[in-house]
Amino acid sequence: MSSVLEVNTEKENLLEFGSYLHRTTPALSELQVTENVPPSTTETLRSLAAKVDIAKELVEKCNSGAKSVPASELKIIIEQIEGVVNSIGQDIGTIPSNIFQKHKYAGTAIQSLAKEMQNAQFNTDVCSKNNMEGEQDLYQVQTSKEEFKTTDNNIGNGEMPRLKDFLKGMYYHGKNIPPSKTLNQLAEQIEPLYEAFFCPLTKKVMDDPVTIETGVTYERKAIKKWFENLINNSQDIVCPVTKQKLHSRVLSTNLALKTMITEWKERNEASRMRVAQTALSLASSASVILDAIRDLEDLCTKREHNKLKMHNFGVTKILTQFLEYDDRDVRCETSKALRCLAEDDRGKEIIAKTRAITAAVKMLSSDHLQEKHASLSLLLQLSKSELICRNIGATPGAILMLITMKYNERTDFVSAERAGETLKNMEKCQDNIKCMAENGLLEPLLNHIVDGDEEMQIEMVSYLGDLVLGNDMKNYVARRTSPILIKMIQCGNTFSRKAAFKALLRLSSHHSNGTTLIEAGVVPIMVDEIFIRKIYDEPVDSKEESAAVIANILESGADPRFIQVYKHGHTMASDYVIYNIVHMLRYSNTDELNKNLIRILLSLTKLPKPFAAIVSVMKETEASYNVIEFLNSKNEDLVINSGKLLIKLITHMGHTIAEALCKTREQPGSLIKKLETDQVTKKHAISVNLVAKLPHHNLTLNLALLHSGTIPIIINNIQNFQRSETRIGRHERHYIEGLVGILLRFTTTLYDHEILQMAKEQNLTTVFTELLVRKSGSDEVQRMSAIGLENLSSETVNLSKPAMEIRGSTKMTKFLPRVFSIGSRRESRVKQCPVHRGACSPSTTFCLLESNALGKLVRCLQHENVKVVEAALSAICTLLDEKVDVERSLEVLGEMELVEQVVGVLRKHKQDGIWQKAFWVIERFVVKKGEELYSDEQLSEVLQDAYQHGNSRSRQVAQNMLSHLKKSNLPRNFTAV
């Protein structure tokens, strides 16, 4: 074999020859340990030895003069070597198969090899040009295609001539070789056992061979036990084999044999390892793979050094591929074997570089407990490495599944325990702690915050500030971390303060934590940060964060009167705190700080006493000007909160705010001009409602709005929403209410010529009329529209002028009913309103009759909202005023069955305000048309009910109307009308 490696010529043929010789090695080794070998076989061995010597001479002849040997002579040498191979094949074929009684497959393999060698043919036509490197392992050299073909045929006949072919054919066509013994048997075939290795007592290979007085060697434990049994039975101590009586029980270690056995075991285990590796690389069937994996697992448990060999041989890396094998048993056994190999750092490192972790995590979702437990054991072993902990945590779904198993003790205690241990190991990596917290396991995060060093606390607290907590954990986290966060804020470390503020801001945003943070003493610390602490070079603006925390706590519903600020008795509702906050608004601060300060004031306005203090300080310091300035800010939240605060203050200082708004740059027009957009936001809704809620009679503000050109924008936006078919949301509804409210304010100052002219040009009567019936999504819009029509209708009497005859004119007012025409139809006269006694139109005089608004107002009396009904009734009452023609108005209203509608209102609604208006309308009808209403039973019932159950005013009105209906008797004697 060594001679072949040194040859440079015809190397392909010679290596093929060497391969044949190498494959005879297992057979020759087996013959050396086989008992009762026939004489013919001994002769065969001598013949083989002689032929090998001949082959050696031929190979050396090629090596000595390869370059000078002519091609013809070289061809003769190769032919001679071919003959030697054929002859060796014949000799091997004479070895009886029945010699290998314990290893029947060995005889099959030898017979197949013999046939192959007898038919072997070398290519002698041309010299091989492909030289192979001398250091290449001959065992890995593959035979020619013809050899493979022969091998396959032999397998089909039940023969296994080569190691790999043997592994392929172990289960071919029912060849039932026990899988638990196959690889061991094959390893023993490669590294044969010697009889001297076996203990005569145990019949097993010895681990600690010792020699006794007779010279026979035994296993130490076995011979000691033999001696003890004889002594216990009071028998003479004899040698188990020779039966000679022993005079001494001294046991001498057989070092030579022990060394040989140790070396044999190492060679045997290495052979088994290679055999298993080959079986895994072929992966011919699940049974073969299982046999190989189990054998590797056995080798791992026997010797630590075997693990290192498996790492070096690439066995560990090959094994990881079988975690994704189809067969479940293979996956389980693979997990067990890899768990053993992962006990050292090298094994963990190799496994981490493969897809093993991903595959193991996938196995966690298996319904088979054995597979789940095996994968958990592997992950638990791998998690002992800090580096691999990161890889496990980065695997999608790993931490979530482990957490789920951890809290599933009742169903599977083993999985819960192993999952808990794995998660505990994974806490070494900060990213894993964060991922655990995201998936609901907060204890590792909280423990590191409470017990960790300063660097760890900063890292974990900073993450807590970004964490979205579940409702069930918010209060628990606040209780655990609040004391630590306060200490971090009070320390001088800038990074600690920044992280703590961030976390407190997150915790305080959960309203359920308000009480917990107050009890922990957070508020006094935050107040100090706002009013007292001044660090100009600190990168974090603690005032902004502190104000936000206090605002969050107050918005949670905590009563500021009981939130202690200082030990001297000040609370969050005290004048001291309010004055300081309002005072800070007057100075140049960041938008974020101003926003949070206003949020604090908004929370304080919910209580009467703090609200009064805020109004007082606002008036005293004129801070309202500063708040109005905030409406021009680019910070949307600041604009929203400023608008809310101003709306709150309107009831106490509305005119002051209106005057200040008119004096502010770009106001008030910019609050409405900015609304030229398709998307309505909360900022838009708050802005228009601020303008709408300011005192309506403030002429300065109304003229400022008029001159800023906002009216066309308002009307256009209203019409766009009325035409839109999309669903109106909360902000859109609030926005429309604000727009209508702004239009309504102009109807209160119609005495101004400019505003009156605008109302005519924009035809506000028609705008309000359309809002009565079209879908606005808000009762408030209908109520304000009715009020607007009332205000406009009140001016109709002053605007309607007596009609003048115009000869030849054929134009008639189309809205006036024929019954109200004046003069003959043949005459050409100008049509006039019967109620207002002059020429009317919707745009010039705001007449309810000409605009068709009256019928819609009457229908509004059936509305469920009492405020809408009251507003509609008030608008109708303008047609019954003393300045109009009441009789003609009663005729028009009577045709619309107004009395029945009003009676229905009285039966449905019992509020004093609506009763007064309703009785006033009915009284008009009763006084003028009492006889016509005499038989109205519903009216009589309503009046009788009002007399019996109404207040003094209602009783008086009811009695007067009953008198007009000629019912002078008191209700005691009153019978049905």
Side-chain angles (χ1 to χ4, degrees), residues 237-252:
I237 298 176
V238 298
C239 175
V241 174
T242 64
K243 304 302 181 182
Q244 295 179 7
K245 185 176 180 181
L246 301 178
H247 301 287
S248 172
R249 287 181 292 169
V250 176
L251 304 177
S252 302

Side-chain angles (χ1 to χ4, degrees), residues 326-379:
D326 294 338
D327 188 89
R328 184 176 60 199
D329 293 333
V330 171
R331 295 196 300 268
C332 290
E333 291 299 327
T334 303
S335 299
K336 295 176 183 178
L338 287 175
R339 190 204 65 79
C340 294
L341 291 169
E343 291 177 354
D344 57 56
D345 294 338
R346 179 75 186 287
K348 291 184 178 72
E349 181 181 352
I350 294 173
I351 294 172
K353 293 180 180 179
T354 66
R355 289 177 45 84
I357 295 177
T358 303
V361 170
K362 185 178 179 181
M363 291 168 62
L364 294 178
S365 59
S366 173
D367 295 332
H368 190 250
L369 281 181
Q370 186 178 358
E371 182 178 6
K372 186 184 297 184
H373 292 169
S375 61
L376 274 171
S377 298
L378 173 59
L379 291 174

Side-chain angles (χ1 to χ4, degrees), residues 761-942:
E761 292 176 355
Q762 300 296 335
N763 197 0
L764 293 187
T765 307
T766 302
V767 174
F768 286 129
T769 301
E770 291 177 351
L771 289 170
L772 282 176
V773 293
R774 291 193 177 182
K775 182 181 179 181
S776 62
S778 170
D779 293 347
E780 183 65 13
V781 170
Q782 290 180 291
R783 185 190 73 84
M784 289 188 293
S785 299
I787 294 174
L789 289 172
E790 177 189 358
N791 295 338
L792 291 170
S793 180
S794 299
E795 292 293 322
T796 304
V797 175
N798 301 326
L799 298 174
S800 182
K801 302 298 182 182
M804 302 295 293
E805 292 186 3
I806 304 176
R807 296 181 180 277
S809 175
T810 58
K811 184 176 181 180
M812 302 293 290
T813 305
K814 61 182 179 179
F815 295 103
L816 188 64
R818 292 180 180 179
V819 69
F820 300 130
S821 299
I822 299 176
S824 174
R825 294 182 182 179
R826 298 176 182 176
E827 297 178 351
S828 299
R829 296 179 179 273
V830 176
K831 196 173 183 181
Q832 68 177 7
C833 176
V835 176
H836 299 110
R837 305 186 185 97
C840 289
S841 72
S843 59
T844 58
T845 65
F846 318 128
C847 179
L848 298 182
L849 295 179
E850 295 296 327
S851 63
N852 288 335
L854 182 58
K856 297 169 184 177
L857 286 169
V858 172
R859 284 195 291 273
C860 284
L861 297 179
Q862 301 175 2
H863 204 284
E864 295 293 330
N865 191 322
V866 65
K867 293 182 179 180
V868 176
V869 175
E870 185 175 359
L873 195 57
S874 297
I876 294 171
C877 287
T878 60
L879 298 179
L880 297 174
D881 191 80
E882 295 294 342
K883 297 179 181 180
V884 303
D885 190 336
V886 178
E887 291 187 2
R888 300 299 298 273
S889 181
L890 289 175
E891 291 180 7
V892 175
L893 295 174
E895 292 180 359
M896 294 184 177
E897 299 180 349
L898 180 65
V899 175
E900 288 81 355
Q901 296 290 340
V902 174
V903 170
V905 170
L906 289 172
R907 295 169 66 90
K908 188 174 183 180
H909 304 288
K910 304 297 181 181
Q911 289 79 3
D912 289 340
I914 202 168
W915 270 41
Q916 291 177 14
K917 289 184 175 63
F919 280 137
W920 185 85
V921 172
I922 293 175
E923 187 178 18
R924 289 285 183 175
F925 275 92
V926 169
V927 171
K928 300 292 184 180
K929 298 179 177 293
E931 296 179 358
E932 298 178 11
L933 301 176
Y934 179 82
S935 60
D936 193 332
E937 295 182 1
Q938 291 186 353
L939 175 59
S940 299
E941 290 177 5
V942 169

Side-chain angles (χ1 to χ4, degrees), residues 698-716:
N698 191 291
L699 182 59
T700 304
L701 178 58
N702 290 351
L703 288 174
L705 289 169
L706 179 62
H707 295 156
S708 62
T710 58
I711 307 304
I713 297 175
I714 293 173
I715 295 177
N716 182 62

Side-chain angles (χ1 to χ4, degrees), residues 569-732:
H570 291 304
T571 65
M572 281 302 302
S574 63
D575 294 346
Y576 167 79
V577 173
I578 293 172
Y579 178 84
N580 279 281
I581 292 175
V582 175
H583 183 72
M584 289 183 69
L585 290 175
R586 298 185 61 207
Y587 295 93
S588 178
N589 297 312
T590 63
D591 286 349
E592 196 66 24
L593 177 57
N594 289 329
K595 178 194 74 174
N596 294 323
L597 292 175
I598 290 176
R599 287 174 60 201
I600 295 174
L601 292 177
L602 275 171
S603 297
L604 295 176
T605 57
K606 297 176 182 178
L607 298 174
K609 187 176 179 181
F611 185 33
I614 292 172
V615 172
S616 176
V617 178
M618 282 284 184
K619 289 180 178 180
E620 178 184 343
T621 61
E622 296 185 348
S624 58
Y625 286 86
N626 301 94
V627 178
I628 292 172
E629 284 285 350
F630 297 155
L631 297 176
N632 294 325
S633 173
K634 295 181 179 179
N635 188 315
E636 186 169 341
D637 290 336
L638 177 58
V639 175
I640 292 172
N641 287 293
S642 300
K644 286 182 178 180
L645 181 60
L646 291 171
I647 291 173
K648 285 271 190 178
L649 297 173
I650 284 175
T651 55
H652 290 73
M653 48 189 302
H655 287 285
T656 303
I657 295 173
E659 297 295 331
L661 186 64
C662 293
K663 296 177 183 179
T664 303
R665 177 177 51 88
E666 299 181 1
Q667 298 297 352
S670 63
L671 292 175
I672 301 170
K673 285 185 177 179
K674 292 179 181 177
L675 302 176
E676 296 176 355
T677 175
D678 294 335
Q679 184 177 4
V680 175
T681 64
K682 189 176 183 180
K683 173 184 173 182
H684 296 149
I686 292 291
S687 298
V688 295
N689 274 274
L690 170 61
V691 178
K693 293 180 184 297
L694 286 170
H696 288 184
H697 293 85
N698 191 291
L699 182 59
T700 304
L701 178 58
N702 290 351
L703 288 174
L705 289 169
L706 179 62
H707 295 156
S708 62
T710 58
I711 307 304
I713 297 175
I714 293 173
I715 295 177
N716 182 62
N717 287 338
I718 290 175
Q719 291 174 346
N720 288 338
F721 275 102
Q722 293 291 65
R723 288 193 294 266
S724 176
E725 297 181 357
T726 58
R727 182 178 178 272
I728 297 178
R730 178 167 56 93
H731 294 321
E732 286 81 358

